[in-house]
Amino acid sequence: MVLTPEELQKSQCVLGFIPVIYYSVLLCVGVPVNVLTAVALSRLASRTKKALYYYLLAVTGSDILSQLFIIFVGFLLETAVFHRDVPSLLLHSVSAAEFAANHASIWSTVPLTVDRYVALCHPLLHRQISYPARARRIIAVVLALSLVSGVPFFWWSDMWRNSHPPTGRDTVLIWTHVTIIYFLPCSIFLVLNSLIIRTLRVRQRQQRSHEESGPKSAPPGRLGKTTAMLLAITSVFSVLWAPRTVVVIYHLYVSSVHRDWRVHLAYDLSNMLAMLNTAVNFFLYCFVSKPFRGAVRDVMLLRGGPLYPRRALRQHQAPNHASISSLYSGNHKRWQGEPTPLSTRRATEPS
């Protein structure tokens, strides 16, 4: 197939220097904010021994890697500074590292979602299987698989500069990419979040039917803070990554980024939206979690000391492999805001 000069002509980047300014600001804001988040979550994880904080810490660490490899090295250094005029081996190696960091950032949220689902829908099981040592092993497996999954993308084609139509290898890599970063994790989020919401609604109906026969308590169907934060994280991801997924598939079957300036523009904007996802979690945590705000305040003021001495003391007296989900019930105020009357469910569940 012989391509005409018009087909070989490269589409223009109509945004000019806007992406460079945008990524520079995003990097200058996102990296310090994520480092602050990591330090605060590390303190909370060491003091409370909750698996939840280890999962959130993994998400934050993966976001930092994505910002360094994708935004700093990929967009700013290779593209804006060197105009991709670097050795081909280096380009492909950085491409594999970018995809590995991207996969780690997205898939670190999956264990968090599973943990919240088990905590709400199967609290007795959560007591047995959710503890920091297991969380660390799960995180290590996720990061290792993410690293391995980035290797095939060593052969990823440069969509901005590849003047030829996508090959069969490009088709396989693109569909593998959109499946790993969007379709598969979003399917998991949709199913588990739907089950969580359904469980909360069932408990709310049960509470309403029994509220006249006993003392009033916090409605178990109420959307707790931890659940709200989880829904916000997964929803923001789904919204910010959807445009890029659509544009990549459009590039594959309709018109390429290299030949059509409109697809080029859409691809640039969708990448900017997707990378915004690496810097928004800090604000969600601050909005939802009072302990996280306190930990951030302590870090910024260079203060130390336990946030909840009594709670931490009781946890140190608990067995090493006991689930921290036991802290969700009782008379203590939980930062997650999850339904408190789990004791009612435990009494009715078969052992």
Side-chain angles (χ1 to χ4, degrees):
M1 178 180 178
V2 180
L3 299 177
T4 63
E6 181 181 357
E7 290 175 320
L8 292 173
Q9 184 179 3
K10 180 183 175 182
S11 61
Q12 298 297 320
C13 178
V14 298
L15 292 178
F17 287 98
I18 294 179
V20 177
I21 298 173
Y22 173 82
Y23 288 124
S24 299
V25 173
L26 186 61
L27 191 69
C28 292
V29 173
V31 171
V33 160
N34 279 329
V35 170
L36 177 60
T37 303
V39 175
L41 290 174
S42 298
R43 288 192 173 192
L44 290 172
S46 63
R47 292 169 183 173
T48 65
K49 305 300 180 184
K50 289 185 178 181
L52 170 69
Y53 291 123
Y54 288 92
Y55 292 127
L56 293 176
L57 188 59
V59 174
T60 303
S62 301
D63 285 341
I64 294 175
L65 292 178
S66 296
Q67 290 173 336
L68 293 179
F69 281 108
I70 300 177
I71 298 178
F72 179 67
V73 177
F75 285 119
L76 294 180
L77 283 184
E78 284 188 350
T79 303
V81 176
F82 296 108
H83 302 285
R84 303 187 74 84
D85 187 17
V86 295
S88 177
L89 178 61
L90 179 60
L91 277 177
H92 290 291
S93 300
V94 171
S95 176
E98 290 175 356
F99 280 96
N102 187 16
H103 297 168
S105 177
I106 293 170
W107 279 89
S108 295
T109 312
V110 174
L112 171 64
T113 308
V114 174
D115 182 80
R116 291 298 86 206
Y117 162 74
V118 176
L120 283 169
C121 301
H122 306 281
L124 293 179
L125 178 62
H126 188 263
R127 280 174 171 267
Q128 302 173 5
I129 67 173
S130 181
Y131 49 87
R134 183 186 292 270
R136 289 192 293 267
R137 288 197 295 268
I138 293 174
I139 292 168
V141 171
V142 170
L143 295 180
L145 292 177
S146 299
L147 180 62
V148 172
S149 68
V151 173
F153 295 93
F154 178 88
W155 294 274
W156 179 265
S157 297
D158 189 344
M159 296 175 62
W160 281 294
R161 290 166 175 80
N162 189 7
S163 59
H164 298 280
T167 63
R169 185 183 65 187
D170 295 333
T171 302
V172 172
L173 287 176
I174 287 176
W175 274 109
T176 303
H177 171 60
V178 297
T179 300
I180 292 177
I181 61 100
Y182 195 78
F183 291 127
L184 189 54
C186 281
S187 299
I188 296 174
F189 298 152
L190 178 62
V191 171
L192 294 184
N193 289 340
S194 299
L195 292 174
I196 289 174
I197 294 174
R198 177 179 175 274
T199 300
L200 294 178
R201 288 178 177 176
V202 169
R203 291 181 183 175
Q204 189 175 37
R205 288 196 297 268
Q206 292 175 347
Q207 177 68 16
R208 288 174 181 173
S209 64
H210 292 86
E211 60 185 7
E212 294 183 356
S213 60
K216 292 185 177 180
S217 59
R222 183 182 57 189
L223 186 64
K225 291 183 177 180
T226 304
T227 306
M229 181 178 67
L230 172 64
L231 295 178
I233 292 173
T234 54
S235 299
V236 168
F237 161 75
S238 301
V239 171
L240 293 181
W241 276 90
R244 187 181 186 279
T245 303
V246 173
V247 172
V248 169
I249 297 176
Y250 188 90
H251 159 84
L252 180 61
Y253 291 107
V254 181
S255 182
S256 70
V257 173
H258 179 86
R259 285 158 37 186
D260 193 332
W261 69 267
R262 291 164 296 187
V263 183
H264 193 152
L265 174 62
Y267 189 59
D268 286 341
L269 293 175
S270 63
N271 280 328
M272 293 165 68
L273 278 177
M275 288 300 99
L276 181 62
N277 186 65
T278 63
V280 299
N281 288 342
F282 169 82
F283 305 100
L284 295 177
Y285 302 160
C286 285
F287 180 75
V288 169
S289 172
K290 184 177 180 180
F292 179 78
R293 293 195 297 270
V296 170
R297 189 184 309 113
D298 289 342
V299 172
M300 297 185 68
L301 297 178
L302 302 179
R303 294 189 308 199
L307 293 176
Y308 302 103
R310 295 181 182 177
R311 188 176 301 178
L313 178 61
R314 290 176 182 176
Q315 283 195 237
H316 285 302
Q317 295 172 350
N320 290 334
H321 295 295
S323 169
I324 308 305
S325 62
S326 59
L327 295 178
Y328 293 123
S329 58
N331 296 324
H332 299 285
K333 181 179 180 182
R334 299 163 296 115
W335 80 271
Q336 290 97 332
E338 297 296 350
T340 53
L342 292 180
S343 55
T344 303
R345 181 180 176 89
R346 296 190 195 107
T348 59
E349 265 188 49
S351 58

